[in-house]
Amino acid sequence: MRQEDNMEKVTQQGQKVGHIQCIIRCITEFLPVQTLLQCTLVTTTWEREARNQLHSRRFLHLWEKLLPAEPDRSMATYLSKPMHHYGGPKNVQITIHQKSNFTQFLSEFAQFAAKYSKTVKYLLIDYPITAEPSQSHDFFKICSTLINLTSFTVDPMSWTGNRGDPDVVQTALRKNLIPTNISFPRVRTLGFYLSSCPFAPHGDEIIKNKLVNDILPLFPNFDRLLVNDVIYQGANSKLFDRLLNHTELSSLSLTLENWGTRDTQLMKHVKHNNLLTSLELCEITERNAPLYEQLLHRFSPYLQKFHLYSICSNDPDQCTLHIPIFPKLKVFKISGGLRERFPPARFIFETKCEQFSLNYAKQFPSLEKLCVCNGYKKYITGDDVTDEGFLEGVVPFLWDVFLKENIPACQTLREFELPFPLRARFRLFSTDLDNTEWEWRDSNDYFDRIEETFPRVGYHVVSPAWRMERMAKVERLVRIAVNLGFSEERVAKGLMDGCLMDNNVEI
């Protein structure tokens, strides 16, 4: 048989396999959201399976009791009339009110876990500590019936609402509060929300340390850790010693509030962990920046992924982050939004010198992807920030840091995610205090900076033909709106607010 005939036969067989529903269903389970959206355009079968997969990944937030504003979100209502999650919900958060009927909740939670024991993979749940230890045992035993759970985040809280309630504190300090005869072997991501944890009168950290030490053995195979906590000045480091010195830890997401001084010793006993390759720092302020800097310097030789999420400082001049050299870093991501100036902080790179503020070859010698994006867009509906609105907030930062004129080009970068201007010009800097006068720049200058700084990226955005075609489409939309009677100023505001289109919409 000729080689051409063999190739044709293989192609035909591949096309047949690509239409088998069960195979498509298996494939879609491993695809990211953006790829699933593209799969909806292939065939009817691919569209159906891709949409089913997207529905199954929808976030499900349930409450232990009926809320007047959201009657469909109670546990009991969902059990009797579940919302559409193809095959059952995968991503679930359960919120428990203080002083609720915890016995009734455990009964309903047991029914939910029995019904969806094989579908739930990601669970974020409140953990009320009551005066009865047996209820704590029942709580974890029910959680363990979710046999395919891969991510578990727990939020310990006082059932009475009083974090210093003597009965709750006494129960929390008991040795047998957490059961020892159960295990979560499939959980790889473990999370602790500790800001609502009960506290003892003689030390806020005592109960936190005990709960974490008792819960950790239930998860023998976790390698990704999420911690959200409030740390006070003078706090001891036992909790972080226990968590960050976990030998198999490869990924850490950290949110700390109310940290105090720059000379903190919290990281003093944390060992160098060459397995920690991914770090996410959240809610950065001038108060917790010193601690985050210690983390960066401690783990910078090993990190391959680094994400700064939501810089919340009100004064950029007061919030300064010293960025060390990352010899192995491949992905650097900064996300956030909802502020006039982004990010509201000042970055000082270790490679800064008189000639330029950043030297990619020395600061990030292995960098392959750079992402500066609007992280709030996916989660906030009321105060959403459009791509064009985010561009105006972030472009001064890009212009002065990552795309600064005459800095040495980054020869290793292969992929980026940056906002792009929609029209032929964009606003760069405000020239007065009232933000009524602006310095305008040609959009081609922005794209040229990208091409000069990242010469190895073969994206279509660096193509002059793509730029001209894209801008022509936007201007055509503007002319249509003006011909319908809208002023150009109102059309420009519509583009800014996202009312007319957003950056990724094809006209």
Side-chain angles (χ1 to χ4, degrees):
M1 186 179 291
R2 292 183 309 170
Q3 185 176 0
E4 292 82 0
D5 295 336
N6 276 331
M7 290 298 297
E8 184 177 356
K9 186 176 181 180
V10 170
T11 303
Q12 291 174 352
Q13 291 175 346
Q15 290 175 345
K16 291 179 180 179
V17 171
H19 287 79
I20 299 176
Q21 186 172 353
C22 62
I23 294 180
I24 297 174
R25 184 175 303 162
C26 293
I27 293 173
T28 56
E29 289 184 4
F30 300 96
L31 298 180
V33 172
Q34 289 297 328
T35 306
L36 286 173
L37 292 174
Q38 295 173 356
C39 288
T40 60
L41 305 176
V42 179
T43 65
T44 303
T45 306
W46 276 93
E47 179 185 13
R48 180 170 59 251
E49 293 302 325
R51 291 191 183 280
N52 286 338
Q53 187 61 227
L54 289 168
H55 279 302
S56 71
R57 298 185 191 180
R58 287 173 56 196
F59 179 72
L60 174 62
H61 189 176
L62 296 177
W63 306 76
E64 106 288 350
K65 68 178 183 180
L66 187 68
L67 297 179
E70 296 181 289
D72 295 335
R73 294 298 182 91
S74 71
M75 181 82 71
T77 304
Y78 188 85
L79 285 170
S80 60
K81 187 181 178 181
M83 293 178 287
H84 177 53
H85 286 83
Y86 179 76
K90 292 183 178 180
N91 190 352
V92 180
Q93 177 180 351
I94 299 177
T95 299
I96 304 172
H97 284 82
Q98 298 162 349
K99 297 183 179 180
S100 60
N101 189 332
F102 194 49
T103 303
Q104 180 180 344
F105 164 75
L106 288 175
S107 175
E108 294 175 351
F109 184 33
Q111 296 178 51
F112 177 86
K115 187 173 182 179
Y116 301 110
S117 62
K118 295 182 179 180
T119 63
V120 177
K121 293 186 176 181
Y122 314 97
L123 179 64
L124 191 164
I125 187 168
D126 289 344
Y127 165 41
I129 300 176
T130 69
E132 181 52 58
S134 63
Q135 292 182 327
S136 176
H137 283 233
D138 293 339
F139 173 85
F140 281 99
K141 286 178 181 178
I142 296 171
C143 291
S144 68
T145 61
L146 300 170
I147 59 176
N148 288 324
L149 206 61
T150 60
S151 175
F152 183 84
T153 302
V154 63
D155 187 352
M157 53 180 282
S158 171
W159 174 77
T160 63
N162 179 8
R163 294 182 61 197
D165 185 285
D167 293 334
V168 173
V169 170
Q170 184 179 3
T171 303
L173 291 173
R174 294 182 63 163
K175 292 183 178 180
N176 63 341
L177 179 64
I178 308 298
T180 58
N181 59 343
I182 62 172
S183 178
F184 298 80
R186 292 195 175 188
V187 170
R188 302 294 302 275
T189 301
L190 178 61
F192 292 98
Y193 281 26
L194 299 172
S195 57
S196 301
C197 185
F199 62 84
H202 49 285
D204 183 40
E205 302 297 312
I206 295 176
I207 294 180
K208 286 182 184 180
N209 293 337
K210 180 185 180 302
L211 286 175
V212 169
N213 284 327
D214 290 348
I215 291 175
L216 281 179
L218 306 183
F219 302 88
N221 299 319
F222 85 92
D223 58 1
R224 294 184 286 270
L225 180 66
L226 182 153
V227 180
N228 188 316
D229 196 8
V230 176
I231 302 293
Y232 299 98
Q233 186 169 344
N236 63 65
S237 62
K238 292 181 180 179
L239 177 64
F240 279 85
D241 289 350
R242 181 74 172 90
L243 290 173
L244 299 187
N245 288 332
H246 179 67
T247 55
E248 301 299 325
L249 191 64
S250 65
S251 177
L252 172 65
S253 176
L254 196 60
T255 305
L256 294 180
E257 301 175 29
N258 296 345
W259 184 253
T261 59
R262 185 167 287 273
D263 59 351
T264 175
Q265 298 296 309
L266 190 66
M267 295 294 298
K268 183 177 180 180
H269 302 291
V270 176
K271 303 174 184 177
H272 288 267
N273 183 353
N274 58 5
L275 294 179
L276 186 66
T277 58
S278 177
L279 178 64
E280 179 181 64
L281 301 178
C282 309
E283 307 293 335
I284 300 98
T285 67
E286 55 269 22
R287 294 180 63 83
N288 60 24
L291 175 60
Y292 284 163
E293 284 183 0
Q294 291 188 39
L295 277 168
L296 288 180
H297 285 80
R298 182 62 57 93
F299 298 118
S300 61
Y302 320 112
L303 291 180
Q304 297 181 23
K305 296 180 181 179
F306 178 42
H307 182 194
L308 286 172
Y309 177 74
S310 182
I311 302 176
C312 304
S313 171
N314 293 318
D315 187 353
D317 296 326
Q318 295 297 321
C319 185
T320 301
L321 273 178
H322 293 79
I323 309 296
I325 293 174
F326 291 98
K328 297 182 179 180
L329 194 70
K330 294 182 179 180
V331 180
F332 187 16
K333 182 176 181 180
I334 305 173
S335 63
L338 301 181
R339 293 186 178 272
E340 292 181 359
R341 177 176 174 181
F342 175 84
R346 190 159 54 95
F347 292 167
I348 299 179
F349 295 97
E350 189 173 331
T351 57
K352 180 181 179 181
C353 62
E354 293 182 0
Q355 291 83 3
F356 32 77
S357 59
L358 171 62
N359 185 331
Y360 283 103
K362 294 182 179 181
Q363 184 75 40
F364 307 112
S366 304
L367 190 65
E368 296 179 0
K369 180 177 180 179
L370 174 65
C371 179
V372 181
C373 59
N374 178 10
Y376 289 96
K377 188 174 179 183
K378 297 179 182 177
Y379 308 107
I380 294 182
T381 55
D383 297 319
D384 200 2
V385 177
T386 64
D387 289 341
E388 186 72 3
F390 180 71
L391 169 71
E392 291 204 350
V394 74
V395 72
F397 165 72
L398 294 174
W399 211 252
D400 278 346
V401 181
F402 292 117
L403 300 177
K404 192 172 181 64
E405 190 174 15
N406 296 327
I407 66 172
C410 180
Q411 301 290 342
T412 60
L413 200 77
R414 297 293 185 273
E415 183 180 354
F416 63 74
E417 185 177 339
L418 303 174
F420 304 129
L422 281 172
R423 306 190 70 183
R425 296 195 308 158
F426 66 94
R427 297 192 300 189
L428 182 57
F429 297 108
S430 174
T431 57
D432 65 340
L433 296 177
D434 297 328
N435 291 334
T436 57
E437 299 293 333
W438 293 80
E439 177 185 340
W440 289 81
R441 288 296 185 95
D442 191 311
S443 293
N444 284 322
D445 294 343
Y446 183 83
F447 290 109
D448 289 342
R449 284 273 184 103
I450 291 176
E451 188 174 9
E452 293 169 3
T453 309
F454 309 120
R456 306 293 293 274
V457 177
Y459 277 14
H460 60 282
V461 297
V462 299
S463 166
W466 179 86
R467 303 180 208 169
M468 297 301 294
E469 181 183 359
R470 183 171 181 269
M471 292 178 188
K473 289 180 178 180
V474 177
E475 295 305 323
R476 190 158 60 246
L477 176 65
V478 172
R479 287 197 302 272
I480 292 173
V482 171
N483 291 336
L484 291 173
F486 295 94
S487 66
E488 188 160 346
E489 291 77 11
R490 189 173 179 183
V491 174
K493 187 178 185 305
L495 290 170
M496 180 69 63
D497 296 340
C499 299
L500 295 181
M501 66 172 290
D502 222 327
N503 279 8
N504 296 321
V505 175
E506 290 292 337
I507 304 176

